[in-house]
Amino acid sequence: MAAFGTGARQLQGRGGSPGFRFTLYALLSIVIMFLDERSHWLENARYFLQAAAYPVQLAVSSPSAAWSWLQESFATRDELRKENNRLRAQQRAIEIRSMRFDALQKENAELRGLKEALPAVAERWEVAEVVDVELNSLRQRVLLNRGTSNGVFKGQAVMDEKGLLGQTLHVGPWSSEVILITDPEHAVPVQIERNGLRTIAVGAGDTASLALPYLPANADVKTGDLLMTSGLGGVFPAGYPVARITEVHHDAVQPLAQVRAAPLARIDLDREAVLVWFRPDHPAAPGTATMSDSKTGNARIQPLPAPPRAVTAPAAGTGAEARTSANAGASGSKSTAAAKPSPAAKPTPSPTTHAAVPPRESGASASEAAGTPRAERPQTPRSEPPRSKPTETGASPTATEGAKSPAAAAVPPSPEPAAPPKPSPAATPPPEQQ
Amino acid sequence: MNSEPRFRMVLTTLVALILTVLPLPPWMDPARPAFLVLTVLYWSIAAPRAGGIALGWFGGLALDVFQGPVLGQHALALALITYIFVREHQKIRSKPAFQQALIVFAAIVIYEFIVFAIDGWSGHPITSSARWLHSVTSAMIWPFAAAFLTHRYGRSS
């Protein structure tokens, strides 16, 4: 057993001593890790490595692919006919259900005060095949056979016909790795459909469950509740089904409820997945500016000293973002230091659309900047101690421009009906302000 | 003679890599032996000059491409235990199989600990105890893997 082939020889040959070589390689890998983690310099290297790995991944998946191909080709005529009948019945059901869809959409638009109906939020979708699957308790990933050559980008939403599957993590030229919503490293911002309660669903590491670890013990959540994407977080659009609550535990000792949900997408059965491209100017679409840096969360609802992209922000996209931030403000989440009007920047209260602002303030600044007579002062007390640093007050010119941009005007308080703002058709005024 | 063992080395490492990333049912997956690590360790004591640290590093990098959250973490961990094995290859080689398995167990625990530490540092901590399971299964399979590789590839060099 212990007799190995080559005999003992001198190790000092080419390339220096093993200790030297090890130091070299260790330094190299530390540099690589640092570059990969802290900066995005290695994105290109990853791209090519992914391309190089694709043949191996194809080879690895070939046995199961061959097996399913065999099964399909030897399916009997009877089975095929049965499946055909089932599909036809399903198609009829879907057609009947979608028959009223156009009418309902138009009605909805009228109710929301918009001139024309919005197009659907999904602009384009493409069916991709699942090439490789990795489903264990540490990693829940699948590999799809579509990459940048098909227009796939990092942080793109992936679904199946039942619900949300995940998002793309690494994209190569012909393939893309998808992190599933059940991966323990993945969290998706969700909303309970029944009452609008927002929380976060974290993957539990098996294909059948998600955990909702941040719900307080008295949260209104029941078994059978449907979870939908809330549109926060900048990756997934709002309103897509994610999971259904399966168990709710109230432990008298624990401050938080123990809630589990089962994903609606058939995660372990899917052999195909749908990559979806969303209209960036749709109110339900996720904010495009946050896709690249989704690691650090949504930049717009974090305290910022000065709004960086306020001037050129597209009207509708920020309108949607302002709506979500208004929601966040209304639900009593934190109003950040940047959102408080500092005394030095009094004539134009500080940036509105980029921070989680209570709707009152953003509305006031918007009407002010648009030249309409101010109907009411912002309710935030002026005598508040200056909590923001002097550097933040330097942002007031940009804040003015930001407030003048149509994005800010899309969140009106509508103090009088005579001067209603003219929102672009896509920018919906939040319903709770009407 | 010089290119022949290196070719075999790369071939077996590639096969081990495929075995490592081959999809398995979820309940079996944590217990999957670290085939790539075992192969690299075998070559680093059987032919320390030909493969050694370079083999470990590039094998680890390939593993990173398939399943590492950070590029370079498996490379670093595998390079470290390969270095230990290359340094001590004469001592390890002369041990009986059971003791070799114990040494391999210790090496894979070190390997997994480095991967775990880098996971935590880079913000992907997975604290499940299932991640340590494969060090046991790898140690159990080591005598057979070494015997197989010796029988198949080792003798003729």
Side-chain angles (χ1 to χ4, degrees):
Chain A
M1 190 74 56
F4 290 102
T6 45
R9 291 195 190 102
Q10 271 295 323
L11 276 178
Q12 326 299 358
R14 315 148 277 104
S17 72
F20 173 73
R21 273 189 288 167
F22 167 67
T23 317
L24 215 67
Y25 280 118
L27 282 179
L28 188 58
S29 41
I30 288 171
V31 167
I32 287 182
M33 275 188 280
F34 192 79
L35 287 182
D36 191 31
E37 181 66 20
R38 290 295 146 98
S39 69
H40 296 284
W41 289 6
L42 280 187
E43 283 294 311
N44 281 330
R46 273 232 184 230
Y47 182 81
F48 290 114
L49 286 174
Q50 182 126 18
Y54 189 50
V56 178
Q57 282 160 328
L58 274 185
V60 160
S61 76
S62 57
S64 65
W67 174 244
S68 59
W69 180 82
L70 267 181
Q71 268 185 325
E72 247 167 51
S73 34
F74 286 104
T76 59
R77 187 192 164 85
D78 194 34
E79 276 167 20
L80 286 179
R81 190 178 296 151
K82 226 179 266 173
E83 187 181 353
N84 199 355
N85 281 340
R86 190 173 53 78
L87 289 177
R88 212 172 287 159
Q90 199 176 342
Q91 190 200 1
R92 198 174 303 129
I94 290 173
E95 264 171 14
I96 287 173
R97 223 181 297 164
S98 68
M99 212 179 270
R100 283 268 301 149
F101 182 73
D102 286 338
L104 284 177
Q105 204 179 12
K106 201 158 277 176
E107 194 179 323
N108 190 14
E110 276 165 21
L111 286 174
R112 295 171 106 174
L114 296 174
K115 293 254 170 7
E116 49 193 281
L118 289 168
V121 61
E123 182 177 40
R124 179 159 91 82
W125 53 87
E126 189 159 333
V127 177
E129 241 175 84
V130 174
V131 177
D132 193 9
V133 185
E134 191 181 350
L135 294 176
N136 58 51
S137 58
L138 311 182
R139 290 159 59 83
Q140 305 249 317
R141 311 276 164 96
V142 296
L143 189 82
L144 301 181
N145 64 348
R146 294 282 187 275
T148 45
S149 59
N150 308 91
V152 178
F153 55 88
K154 186 178 174 178
Q156 185 170 11
V158 182
M159 312 199 176
D160 72 357
E161 68 273 15
K162 302 275 182 195
L164 195 67
L165 265 182
Q167 59 174 298
T168 54
L169 189 66
H170 301 300
V171 185
W174 309 289
S175 62
S176 50
E177 189 185 331
V178 174
I179 177 167
L180 298 174
I181 53 172
T182 49
D183 190 290
E185 291 180 27
H186 192 272
V188 47
V190 292
Q191 197 165 18
I192 294 174
E193 186 217 22
R194 182 168 53 84
N195 53 15
L197 185 69
R198 269 188 303 276
T199 182
I200 290 174
V202 182
D206 70 284
T207 55
S209 73
L210 294 169
L212 278 74
Y214 307 116
L215 279 175
N218 59 356
D220 178 17
V221 51
K222 285 187 222 152
T223 317
D225 279 351
L226 181 67
L227 295 174
M228 310 208 301
T229 49
S230 67
L232 301 176
V235 173
F236 303 114
Y240 279 85
V242 178
R244 208 172 270 286
I245 304 278
T246 49
E247 57 175 295
V248 181
H249 269 298
H250 292 293
D251 195 340
V253 192
Q254 302 278 351
L256 298 173
Q258 284 99 52
V259 185
R260 288 272 171 167
L264 294 171
R266 297 166 307 164
I267 281 170
D268 44 353
L269 298 177
D270 275 335
R271 277 166 47 205
E272 284 174 345
V274 184
L275 288 153
V276 193
W277 284 261
F278 296 105
R279 271 171 224 281
D281 52 353
H282 195 280
T288 47
T290 58
M291 284 190 180
S292 57
D293 51 12
S294 61
K295 241 181 198 173
T296 54
N298 191 341
R300 295 180 197 213
I301 39 181
Q302 283 169 357
L304 287 181
R309 289 181 289 266
V311 185
T312 54
T318 34
E321 209 53 54
R323 192 167 64 127
T324 50
S325 68
N327 279 343
S331 73
S333 74
K334 54 254 152 202
S335 69
T336 57
K340 295 259 164 64
S342 59
K346 193 180 265 179
T348 52
S350 55
T352 55
T353 52
H354 284 263
V357 188
R360 266 270 155 65
E361 289 179 10
S362 67
S365 72
S367 65
E368 207 174 1
T372 54
R374 185 186 296 174
E376 47 182 341
R377 307 285 300 181
Q379 296 300 304
T380 357
R382 289 288 160 153
S383 59
E384 187 163 329
R387 274 167 67 186
S388 49
K389 294 191 186 74
T391 51
E392 289 178 2
T393 60
S396 55
T398 21
T400 327
E401 284 172 31
K404 265 180 193 159
S405 81
V411 193
S414 50
E416 65 268 300
K422 298 287 180 286
S424 63
T428 327
E432 65 262 32
Q433 291 188 1
Q434 286 184 329
Chain B
M1 142 90 221
N2 212 359
S3 72
E4 184 77 348
R6 196 159 296 175
F7 172 71
R8 274 188 234 130
M9 206 174 275
V10 172
L11 189 72
T12 48
T13 310
L14 203 64
V15 171
L17 178 68
I18 288 178
L19 284 178
T20 309
V21 297
L22 200 69
L24 277 186
W27 55 269
M28 273 173 72
D29 208 74
R32 181 211 308 255
F35 291 109
L36 181 70
V37 181
L38 290 182
T39 312
V40 168
L41 287 185
Y42 171 79
W43 285 118
S44 61
I45 54 174
R49 249 186 356 159
I53 301 165
L55 184 73
W57 194 80
F58 282 107
L61 195 68
L63 196 57
D64 279 326
V65 174
F66 285 104
Q67 46 181 222
V70 189
L71 221 52
Q73 65 170 156
H74 288 100
L76 176 65
L78 201 49
L80 175 71
I81 58 171
T82 316
Y83 166 63
I84 298 171
F85 268 55
V86 166
R87 243 186 86 121
E88 306 294 331
H89 71 279
Q90 284 171 337
K91 281 185 208 161
I92 297 171
R93 204 155 33 170
S94 57
K95 296 266 190 300
F98 176 70
Q99 288 179 32
Q100 279 184 359
L102 281 185
I103 297 170
V104 166
F105 173 73
I108 292 183
V109 167
I110 295 173
Y111 165 85
E112 192 59 38
F113 180 77
I114 294 173
V115 173
F116 179 55
I118 297 172
D119 270 348
W121 167 74
S122 63
H124 313 85
I126 296 162
T127 49
S128 156
S129 55
R131 69 179 295 155
W132 304 97
L133 184 60
H134 74 98
S135 50
V136 179
T137 53
S138 301
M140 275 169 19
I141 216 169
W142 164 262
F144 305 102
F148 173 76
L149 285 171
T150 309
H151 173 74
R152 194 89 176 71
Y153 301 102
R155 280 283 153 76
S156 60
S157 67

